[in-house]
Amino acid sequence: MSEPRLTDRALYLQRLGFDAPPAPTLETLRQLQLRHTGVFPFENLTTLSGEPVLIDLPSIEQKVLHAGRGGYCYELNKLFLALLQELGFDARAISGRVVMGQPEGAWTARTHRLSLVIIDDVRYITDVGFGGMVPTAPLLLDSRAEQLTPHESYRIDLHVDGFTLRANVAGEWRAMYIFDLQRQEDIDFAVGNWYVSTHPESTFARQLMVARTGEGWRRTLNNGSFAIHRIGHDSERREVTDVQELIGLLGSEFGIRVPEQAQLAKTLERLIAAPQ
């Protein structure tokens, strides 16, 4: 059975600033990844609404391209991979274990989706669905050197079980996620998505998480804590305590068209009222 194809590739490319399909080059991949993280926000509103997170390509395309929404790794990176493959990139899905914020050496569940891309026999990882620390450029897989992006610097460490992606945060090389190149099928991502979106201990089911990048900045929202992080400057932070203000913020700062859904509104109200 052939993979489903994008139904509105022209609109997708237009949103990313391309009037015609670009050639599958490294420069194209750089532009696509940077622009994608700026146009399509990372967000988990569907999980907080109590509705299922659908990760088939037509559902993702409808949500992200037509409904004014974003998504998380199982949505954004699947959509992005479909685009890369249709543009002629040699690309496939891989998965990882998020360890950001965990003690060094922690080993977590396999709940992150990203992509491996090979250009002129050189291997890169590309990721448009890692929240407030998403890399904004493809990263060389087989280099252990510091790699610059339009935002933070990253480094990929090699170890016996695969690789660890690290980011330079305030001068400290912090682990983001562990990953390997094991073949992944749709069922593997369905299992991870089910856990992430429904398990009571999943952060995605208990906390609002929103992020978007731009030129020289990152915006993040965790429950009611809104922050703008500017490269080379102190972060600007404020607390949002009113649900209507929060919904307005999601629109104005992240470009999200928040669905009118009673349970979602109640959940957001509860989350911003809880002590941080």
Side-chain angles (χ1 to χ4, degrees):
M1 183 182 297
S2 61
E3 286 288 316
R5 296 178 65 83
L6 293 166
T7 60
D8 207 339
R9 185 177 70 178
L11 173 63
Y12 194 1
L13 285 171
Q14 188 178 51
R15 295 282 302 278
L16 294 172
F18 292 91
D19 294 328
T25 65
L26 178 58
E27 181 56 31
T28 294
L29 182 60
R30 285 195 179 112
Q31 290 183 36
L32 288 171
Q33 184 166 343
L34 177 61
R35 295 177 188 182
H36 206 287
T37 60
V39 172
F40 302 110
F42 178 94
E43 51 106 334
N44 66 323
L45 291 172
T46 300
T47 295
L48 298 178
S49 74
E51 296 178 346
V53 179
L54 304 176
I55 58 171
D56 61 285
L57 189 58
S59 296
I60 300 169
E61 199 172 355
Q62 171 60 31
K63 178 182 178 182
V64 176
L65 297 185
H66 299 285
R69 295 286 304 281
Y72 55 35
C73 69
Y74 291 114
E75 301 164 286
L76 297 176
N77 277 323
K78 178 161 185 170
L79 187 67
F80 192 57
L81 177 61
L83 177 64
L84 295 182
Q85 290 175 336
E86 291 194 19
L87 291 176
F89 283 96
D90 179 0
R92 65 179 176 89
I94 56 177
S95 70
R97 307 170 187 273
V98 178
V99 293
M100 183 172 65
Q102 299 291 324
E104 188 69 28
W107 201 259
T108 58
R110 192 184 283 270
T111 58
H112 184 56
R113 174 178 179 143
L114 62 151
S115 300
L116 175 72
V117 183
I118 302 174
I119 302 173
D120 297 330
D121 297 322
V122 179
R123 302 190 297 180
Y124 300 85
I125 60 165
T126 186
D127 187 349
V128 296
F130 192 61
M133 284 303 300
V134 63
T136 51
L139 300 171
L140 281 162
L141 177 65
D142 297 306
S143 171
R144 306 298 150 242
E146 177 177 358
Q147 301 190 48
L148 304 180
T149 77
H151 292 77
E152 289 77 17
S153 297
Y154 290 80
R155 184 180 92 200
I156 297 177
D157 291 347
L158 176 66
H159 49 80
V160 68
D161 298 300
F163 307 87
T164 296
L165 177 69
R166 295 181 184 272
N168 191 327
V169 182
E172 180 184 351
W173 285 103
R174 298 183 188 176
M176 299 288 108
Y177 51 79
I178 298 164
F179 67 98
D180 57 35
L181 307 183
Q182 185 180 63
R183 173 177 168 173
Q184 299 294 297
E185 297 292 340
D186 284 347
I187 186 60
D188 297 306
F189 296 126
V191 170
N193 180 61
W194 180 260
Y195 175 87
V196 164
S197 62
T198 66
H199 196 283
E201 293 184 9
S202 167
T203 307
F204 287 84
R206 300 190 301 173
Q207 180 179 325
L208 173 65
M209 294 181 288
V210 189
R212 190 175 181 182
T213 67
E215 189 171 348
W217 54 260
R218 293 182 184 271
R219 295 175 187 154
T220 60
L221 180 65
N222 291 284
N223 291 343
S225 297
F226 173 61
I228 302 176
H229 311 280
R230 290 190 169 88
I231 297 173
H233 297 84
D234 291 338
S235 297
E236 302 171 25
R237 303 176 187 274
R238 68 182 174 93
E239 291 296 319
V240 181
T241 57
D242 177 79
V243 71
Q244 290 306 315
E245 182 187 357
L246 183 75
I247 291 170
L249 187 76
L250 288 167
S252 63
E253 300 289 345
F254 297 95
I256 297 172
R257 194 186 311 157
V258 180
E260 293 184 13
Q261 206 255 20
Q263 182 174 332
L264 176 60
K266 289 180 181 177
T267 301
L268 294 177
E269 196 164 20
R270 174 175 55 80
L271 289 174
I272 62 176
Q276 298 300 305

